[in-house]
Amino acid sequence: MTSHDSLARLSAVLEARKLANGGDPETSYVSRLYAKGPDAFLKKIGEEATEAVMAAKDLERGTTAGLQERFVSEVADLWFHCMVALAHYDLSATDVVAELERRVGLSGLEEKALRKAQAREADGQ
């Protein structure tokens, strides 16, 4: 199984957990997040991002396998909650992968300059 398959399967589960699709907040953590609304899962994204940063800083100070596993676990939590948000807004990991693929071969500096130019253009309209 590829990582793309895993992301697709998780996306399907997240879609199924939406309240409109029969998700039950009494039995599903994801459905409970959806029931609480965007503030709940957006707050979780912030919390998980902070935990990932803290784990990375710990890893920077040491190189034990336990620290690596903790960092990977925190990033997985962050990705998961980002995927919950994506599903809420009718997007998926596929959309993010497509954006990353679009950026392959672009200089990060060029990409940033392009986004700034597009934002200026949008503001001027």
Side-chain angles (χ1 to χ4, degrees):
M1 178 180 332
T2 67
S3 57
H4 181 72
D5 293 336
S6 296
L7 292 173
R9 282 189 15 244
L10 179 54
S11 291
V13 169
L14 296 175
E15 190 64 30
R17 297 293 193 268
K18 288 182 176 180
L19 304 179
N21 296 333
D24 182 2
E26 295 297 318
T27 61
S28 166
Y29 171 73
V30 171
S31 295
R32 192 171 309 141
L33 285 174
Y34 288 142
K36 290 180 180 179
D39 283 350
F41 53 78
L42 296 174
K43 180 180 176 185
K44 286 299 294 180
I45 290 171
E47 290 173 6
E48 299 301 344
T50 299
E51 290 173 7
V53 168
M54 291 168 44
K57 295 201 70 68
D58 289 345
L59 183 57
E60 189 65 26
R61 290 188 286 270
T63 57
T64 67
L67 293 175
Q68 290 173 331
E69 290 167 2
R70 180 171 163 248
F71 178 56
V72 168
S73 177
E74 296 299 347
V75 170
D77 290 346
L78 175 59
W79 285 12
F80 173 81
H81 288 91
C82 287
M83 287 184 68
V84 169
L86 286 165
H88 173 79
Y89 296 112
D90 296 322
L91 298 164
S92 72
T94 301
D95 298 301
V96 176
V97 170
E99 175 61 13
L100 291 171
E101 287 174 350
R102 183 189 69 77
R103 294 179 185 187
V104 169
L106 290 178
S107 155
L109 296 175
E110 290 172 357
E111 171 65 18
K112 187 174 180 178
L114 178 61
R115 281 185 278 145
K116 282 184 178 182
Q118 289 171 335
R120 280 193 304 273
E121 191 174 293
D123 288 344
Q125 293 178 0

